[in-house]
Every structure is written in structure tokens, then in C-alpha cells.
Amino acid sequence: MGEWTSLETPTGRIRAWRADPHTPPRGALVVVQEIFGVNAHIRELCKTFADHGYVAMAPSFFDHFEHDVQLRYDPDGVARGLELVERLGFERALEDVHATATVLAEHGKVGVVGYCWGGTVAFLANTRLSMPAVSYYGARTVPFLAERIEAPMMFHFGERDPSITAHDIELHREHQEHAEVHVYPAGHGFNCDQRADFERHSAALALEHTLAFFRRTLHPAY
């Protein structure tokens, strides 16, 4: 379930993967990719959220540079993905998130959920765009923790994640005392079944927390 659609952004037209629920929407979600593009994992996440009643769209940020970038979870994929996100930058990514949210606004309140690099984008969409946000293992968030959250916020971390130390997690709690922080017995990328660190139980529990969060923040009277 899902299809590619066209999305107009301030710096040009890109594609976005969109999945719609079979029932009237409870709201909508911008789904923010890892550094690997809008690949099968991200498209499957859109389907999952659509199955739970949300219109879900994942903007294909890398279309600004190259069509249909879907990278492997290997050293070459990591290197290429890091190159592309550095070229994109957070400001341009947030412009694309805002453009996606504008399209989705007709379906109700819009939240954002992001993974890895996208987890940091989701956090910044909260502080700078005032969007309710869920961040999964956003390893680049620490330099921005002085920014004030402007909407409900949830973080998910793996306690064995080498890119996000226990000290980093405590910094999130210290600087964002009103956010929800969940830590799981898992490594980085535990939500992705294409990664070596995939941890099924942690992924299921994190999804449960995420869906409860969006039920509260996007349609509290549902």
C-alpha cells in the first residue's frame, strides 16, 4: 500500500512516498528517512502508520540531487548517505518537512517521526516548526539540545548504541525535561529489520509508545 507522489518544495519539486489508511484519517505523519533514502524500510513504516489510521508521507530529500536514491546498509551506503545529508543540510530538510506537512494538513493535525539522521530532523521540526515529534536514535541531536521544544516530544534510544552514549541520553533528559525518553536493550537502528542491530521486541515496544504518543497529541479526543 502506497505510491510515489510529487511534492513542491521551496527549492524544487521532489517525490514523496505516500500511504493512506483505509478508514477516515486520524491525522497525518511526515516520516523522515535515515541516511539511506526512502527505501523499502521507510516505505514499510509508512504502511504501518497508514494501517493505524494516519496518512503517512516520506519526502525523498535526495531527489534534489539524484533520482531514486536507495542505499544499502553497508559501508559504501553509509559513506554515500553521509555525503548526501551533508550536502542537503538540516535547513533544506526542514523546508521539505514543512512542505510535506502543508500538503497533509487537510487530513488533520500533522506530526513527524524520524529515524537516525531523520530523528534529528524530527527534533528540529519540533523546535523550529512546532510539530509534535518522535525521534528514533537521532545521533546528531546533542549539538541542538539547547533549543526549546515547542510541541510534545518523544525520544527512543538503544542502550547499546555506540553513537549515542549514556551521557548523551542524560543530556537529552537534562535539557528536554518535558520530553518523553525511552531506552531499550538494543543497539543503533534497532527498529530496522534490515540492520544487524534489529531487535524485534524493542521495535514493537517503541512502536506501541509512538502510536500512543500520536493518539494523545494528534487527536486527543479520538
Side-chain angles (χ1 to χ4, degrees):
M1 174 174 53
E3 62 181 357
W4 288 109
T5 185
S6 183
L7 177 68
E8 186 64 42
T9 78
T11 54
R13 189 170 291 276
I14 63 173
R15 299 172 310 146
W17 183 261
R18 174 170 174 153
D20 287 83
H22 294 298
T23 56
R26 298 179 172 186
L29 296 175
V30 182
V31 180
V32 187
Q33 64 176 63
E34 307 162 308
I35 64 171
F36 303 98
V38 181
N39 57 10
H41 171 54
I42 298 300
R43 298 195 301 272
E44 183 63 26
L45 287 170
C46 289
K47 178 184 182 300
T48 297
F49 289 120
D51 287 344
H52 285 89
Y54 300 94
V55 181
M57 282 183 68
S60 184
F61 302 100
F62 297 161
D63 278 6
H64 286 296
F65 318 122
E66 185 178 333
H67 182 70
D68 197 27
V69 176
Q70 298 185 52
L71 303 172
R72 295 181 180 274
Y73 292 90
D74 60 19
D76 288 342
V78 171
R80 178 64 174 147
L82 290 174
E83 174 188 327
L84 287 167
V85 296
E86 289 299 330
R87 184 177 176 188
L88 181 73
F90 285 122
E91 291 299 331
R92 198 175 198 181
L94 289 171
E95 289 177 349
D96 291 353
V97 169
H98 184 261
T100 309
T102 299
V103 169
L104 292 174
E106 65 177 295
H107 302 291
K109 196 168 182 180
V110 183
V112 56
V113 54
Y115 303 82
C116 191
W117 170 81
T120 297
V121 175
F123 171 73
L124 294 174
N126 183 307
T127 63
R128 302 181 189 184
L129 302 177
S130 301
M131 297 178 66
V134 175
S135 170
Y136 280 73
Y137 33 82
R140 297 182 177 214
T141 305
V142 170
F144 302 107
L145 284 177
E147 296 192 22
R148 175 180 170 181
I149 60 173
E150 298 293 338
M153 183 76 221
M154 176 179 284
F155 297 102
H156 298 299
F157 299 110
E159 64 183 15
R160 298 193 295 271
D161 186 343
S163 66
I164 305 168
T165 66
H167 176 66
D168 291 337
I169 295 172
E170 284 307 309
L171 286 176
H172 282 71
R173 290 193 172 106
E174 176 185 337
H175 289 279
Q176 305 298 337
E177 60 181 330
H178 298 297
E180 297 179 55
V181 179
H182 298 280
V183 183
Y184 306 88
H188 187 76
F190 66 81
N191 190 67
C192 177
D193 62 6
Q194 299 179 35
R195 289 176 177 263
D197 274 338
F198 175 59
E199 210 291 303
R200 188 177 306 277
H201 177 72
S202 296
L205 186 56
L207 177 61
E208 183 180 318
H209 289 315
T210 296
L211 292 172
F213 173 87
F214 286 126
R215 281 195 299 270
R216 294 193 303 270
T217 59
L218 299 188
H219 49 93
Y222 185 86

